[in-house]
Amino acid sequence: MKPKQCLVIGLGRFGTAVATTLYEMGHEVVAVDTSEEHVENVMNLVTHAAVLDATEERALKSIGVADFDVVVIGIGTDVQAAILATMNAKSLGAPYVITKAIDEMARRVLERVGADLVIRPEHDSGVRIARQIATPNIVDTLDLGSDYAIVELEANDRLKGNLRELNLTGRFGVQVIAINRGGKIEISPRAEEDLRVHDKLVVIGTAHAIDDLRRYLGE
């Protein structure tokens, strides 16, 4: 899995959780905040950290915001700052911006000014969002507990045989809930279903279990 270039703006509990988790998972993370203290707290836990005011378009342009795969704006209670940072990031060409909102009204405004995804999390959700960013082909993230996800994986020649023979539940702790074959989706596939290379498997499991299966598949 190719590492992603991630920019995290705002290093409160949420932003710090996202930044440090992404870095631990092997991604390139630049973390910025207007507070020197917040920046110092994550200095050794990310790729690069700097004091920067994301409400200033010139400042965001100087760090190449358009070159990041994902920009996460975790600014806390300052709604105006979150809005300005979101607008600046999108106007400068950031391809995907995730912004934290403190309430429903803020969420609506942030969506209107261009945020690709608006969330209202606390610390634990920050860890889950980091996993979502780091996991390609995410299908959905459900409230199944702090560590569960549903993702889509592509089968390769390491998965030969039918689902019963492969025993993905016993070996990896994941459950196949659907198969996407050439755009045709089969829900709750039978145990006798033979997998083919390039089949897309929709699986549910803990992040740890899914990571184990990804490693087995060579992703």
Side-chain angles (χ1 to χ4, degrees), residues 61-192:
K61 188 174 183 179
S62 71
I63 61 171
V65 66
D67 298 328
F68 290 92
D69 298 307
V70 179
V71 176
V72 180
I73 299 173
I75 296 173
T77 57
D78 190 339
V79 178
Q80 183 176 350
I83 292 170
L84 284 172
T86 301
M87 291 175 62
N88 288 342
K90 293 304 292 185
S91 67
L92 289 170
Y96 196 80
V97 176
I98 299 173
T99 307
K100 175 185 175 181
I102 60 171
D103 55 33
E104 182 64 19
M105 183 176 294
R107 184 188 67 79
R108 292 177 183 175
V109 174
L110 288 163
E111 286 180 344
R112 287 174 184 168
V113 299
D116 297 285
L117 176 65
V118 180
I119 51 177
R120 295 173 56 187
E122 289 301 328
H123 175 270
D124 289 345
S125 294
V127 175
R128 290 201 297 275
I129 292 299
R131 292 192 180 280
Q132 181 176 341
I133 295 167
T135 304
N137 302 322
I138 195 82
V139 175
D140 198 4
T141 301
L142 302 178
D143 187 14
L144 302 171
S146 63
D147 205 33
Y148 280 82
I150 297 175
V151 300
E152 185 180 77
L153 303 172
E154 183 169 331
N156 58 27
D157 55 11
R158 300 207 69 178
L159 291 181
K160 293 181 178 179
N162 61 41
L163 291 175
R164 176 179 285 113
E165 294 166 344
L166 290 168
N167 188 23
L168 298 182
T169 302
R171 293 164 64 195
F172 300 101
V174 304
Q175 179 72 41
V176 178
I177 59 176
I179 297 176
N180 181 343
R181 179 174 295 152
K184 183 179 180 180
I185 299 176
E186 181 179 351
I187 305 296
S188 299
R190 296 173 294 110
E192 294 76 23

Side-chain angles (χ1 to χ4, degrees), residues 1-4 25-27 131 133-136 211 214 218-219:
M1 184 171 64
K2 181 182 177 182
K4 293 186 178 182
M25 296 177 74
H27 299 275
R131 292 192 180 280
I133 295 167
T135 304
D211 286 345
R214 283 189 181 283
E219 291 194 8

Side-chain angles (χ1 to χ4, degrees), residues 23-56:
Y23 182 72
E24 289 171 1
M25 296 177 74
H27 299 275
E28 299 289 324
V29 180
V30 174
V32 302
D33 195 288
T34 55
S35 164
E36 187 173 341
E37 180 182 357
H38 287 173
V39 170
E40 288 177 353
N41 287 340
V42 303
M43 189 74 73
N44 299 318
L45 303 174
V46 296
T47 309
H48 179 69
V51 176
L52 182 141
D53 186 351
T55 65
E56 296 181 3

